[in-house]
Amino acid sequence: MTTTGSLHSWEVSTGVDGPGTRFVAFLAGCPLRCQFCHSPDTWYRRGGHPVTADDLVLSVRRYERFIKVAGGGVTLSGGEPLLQPAFTREVLSRCHEMRLHTALDTSGFLGDRADDELLSAVDLVLLDIKSGDPATYRKVTRTGRLGPTIRFAHRLAEKGISIWVRFVLVPGLTDDPANVDAVAAIAERVPTVERVEVLPFHRMGAPKYEALGLPFPLAGTQPPAVATIERVRGQFHDHGLAVF
């Protein structure tokens, strides 16, 4: 019997959610409340609509040939897909059976919910490390702890699963040199980390907060300066990491 999940939306995109052209499904629901979140409309499962794994995989099949020719695959994102582990497991497993490259975009905060069967269907994890300093991590996420993400990263490495680390650079929040070095130290100790993506903070999600009647925590924060971005990229590079 197929499982049912809560899906916010899906799209076909290139270059931002894993290699090649990808079918990206955004699942609804997330336990974190990151100050820089640009998708507050994905925080709650009720913000999505019910969809069976059968139906979502059928949507993927419509693009299967195109995705394969374009060297892409399927990415489950969110929200937080590990908030719906059974649904995530079934969708990724069935896509894997179709010989599609699979990616999981997660904070790792709920990594313990990903059982071995789920991880056996994952080719790549896009691991969002919000901060390398535990106190800053709590400030950024308002509800989260750094430990589960680190534990999940090492578990992925033990299984030989490739990791792309993502780090959102926010002036006055995550840009402290010591915090950046702490993220880099976490990444360099995980042997299957292939690259680090430094993602400059942007304010494109602000209209969503306004539409939902929510205050945007970083309304007064500007995107990082080019010099700051280059300094942070350099810090990761100095730890021997490939930086994008």
Side-chain angles (χ1 to χ4, degrees):
M1 182 176 178
T2 189
T3 55
T4 298
S6 180
L7 176 72
H8 177 270
S9 57
W10 62 264
E11 66 182 25
V12 177
S13 62
T14 302
V16 293
D17 296 287
T21 298
R22 309 191 70 81
F23 183 104
V24 185
F26 300 94
L27 305 192
C30 182
L32 304 181
R33 295 293 178 266
C34 297
Q35 291 196 46
F36 51 69
C37 180
H38 62 271
S39 299
D41 47 337
T42 66
W43 285 352
Y44 301 102
R45 291 187 63 169
R46 64 177 181 270
H49 60 274
V51 62
T52 65
D54 282 345
D55 287 340
L56 186 56
V57 172
L58 181 61
S59 296
V60 172
R61 286 191 181 279
R62 296 191 182 107
Y63 295 88
E64 179 182 1
R65 183 185 177 97
F66 171 66
I67 290 170
K68 287 181 176 177
V69 169
V74 175
T75 300
L76 291 196
S77 184
E80 171 53 70
L82 293 182
L83 195 63
Q84 304 182 53
F87 181 74
T88 295
R89 181 196 310 117
E90 181 174 352
V91 173
L92 290 177
S93 296
R94 293 176 62 179
C95 290
H96 218 241
E97 290 170 0
M98 293 161 60
R99 300 185 182 278
L100 288 168
H101 180 277
T102 56
L104 176 69
D105 184 2
T106 175
S107 71
F109 180 62
L110 299 179
D112 290 345
R113 296 193 180 189
D115 61 19
D116 289 346
E117 182 182 353
L118 189 159
L119 293 182
S120 69
V122 176
D123 295 309
L124 170 69
V125 170
L126 308 174
L127 187 63
D128 302 308
I129 302 183
K130 315 292 185 179
S131 167
D133 170 65
T136 303
Y137 193 98
R138 289 191 297 272
K139 182 178 180 181
V140 169
T141 63
R142 292 187 267 187
T143 56
R145 301 181 307 280
L146 177 58
T149 296
I150 297 175
R151 183 167 64 246
F152 185 56
H154 285 280
R155 184 172 165 222
L156 295 173
E158 289 170 0
K159 294 183 174 298
I161 298 173
S162 298
I163 301 171
W164 291 4
V165 168
R166 288 176 155 185
F167 174 70
V168 180
L169 175 60
V170 185
L173 185 62
T174 66
D175 62 338
D176 183 85
N179 184 53
V180 175
D181 275 335
V183 175
I186 292 169
E188 72 176 334
R189 288 194 292 265
V190 181
T192 57
V193 169
E194 297 180 346
R195 61 197 276 180
V196 175
E197 297 182 339
V198 177
L199 307 177
F201 165 73
H202 60 73
R203 301 172 57 171
M204 289 185 287
K208 295 182 181 180
Y209 285 85
E210 184 177 358
L212 293 168
L214 298 171
F216 182 36
L218 300 177
T221 302
Q222 297 298 318
V226 172
T228 302
I229 297 171
E230 291 307 308
R231 184 261 294 171
V232 170
R233 288 171 55 86
Q235 285 184 256
F236 283 110
H237 185 268
D238 288 345
H239 281 261
L241 297 161
V243 188
F244 288 80

